[in-house]
Amino acid sequence: MLTLADIGFDATAALLARHGLRLVRVPDGGAIPGSYWGECEAGLIGSDVFARADTPVHSLLHEACHLLVMPSERRASVHTDATDSQEEEDATCYLQIVLADALPGVGRDRLMADMDAWGYTFRLGSTRAWFEHDAEDARDWLEVRGLLASVGGGAAAIAA
């Protein structure tokens, strides 16, 4: 799985900052604050996303996207567990795939492979199958809220 050590913190921090989030680097071996899954998985508290060098990129993007899809009033008080509904979870998964294209050396193809390797589960059997053939509800949820346009993932980017 691709980690932050593989791609570096700078581009990732810049991407998050463009969307009002802050990447907080945790020292190697340190406990990651706000991590739902523990170990090396990213954590979130408020508008901060916590990660170490060994944090998988898919994990960091997933937690960041949870923050991006939630209302700002909820974001201010979120700590560790961000999921509010299945619709929000699906939107988070969709958005992390779109945002992967904005990170040099990542891209949606690699991110979807890493999501499958980690154990994300979708009805159609793979992340790619879900994204390409079963994610209309997630895409519509994001579009209604203007979130795809705000991350540069409008219709043209989605069709790519």
Side-chain angles (χ1 to χ4, degrees):
M1 254 176 262
L2 203 58
T3 66
L4 283 174
D6 298 321
I7 67 166
F9 278 79
D10 293 342
T12 308
L15 175 64
L16 269 57
R18 283 195 302 272
H19 300 290
L21 305 178
R22 184 173 70 124
L23 176 59
V24 179
R25 187 172 186 166
V26 176
D28 293 348
I32 299 177
S35 178
Y36 183 82
W37 296 103
E39 304 280 332
C40 60
E41 301 294 324
L44 52 86
I45 301 172
S47 293
D48 293 338
V49 180
F50 296 84
R52 298 188 310 223
D54 64 339
T55 297
V57 174
H58 76 84
S59 175
L60 180 134
L61 286 176
H62 189 82
E63 297 308 324
C65 288
H66 266 300
L67 294 175
L68 293 176
V69 304
M70 72 175 53
S72 58
E73 63 274 4
R74 209 169 94 232
R75 183 187 303 170
S77 64
V78 72
H79 191 300
T80 308
D81 187 2
T83 299
D84 185 50
S85 66
Q86 188 59 52
E87 292 81 13
E88 202 172 273
E89 183 68 30
D90 291 347
T92 294
C93 289
Y94 194 95
L95 193 57
Q96 80 186 84
I97 293 165
V98 172
L99 277 181
D101 287 340
L103 287 174
V106 183
R108 66 181 62 187
D109 292 335
R110 176 58 191 262
L111 192 81
M112 287 188 279
D114 283 359
M115 289 170 72
D116 288 342
W118 188 86
Y120 287 69
T121 57
F122 297 98
R123 282 190 306 237
L124 298 182
S126 74
T127 304
R128 177 176 297 287
W130 171 77
F131 185 78
E132 293 177 353
H133 305 291
D134 193 33
E136 302 86 21
D137 291 345
R139 184 178 56 248
D140 291 346
W141 193 97
L142 291 163
E143 285 178 345
V144 163
R145 289 158 181 80
L147 292 169
L148 282 177
S150 73
V151 299
I158 294 163

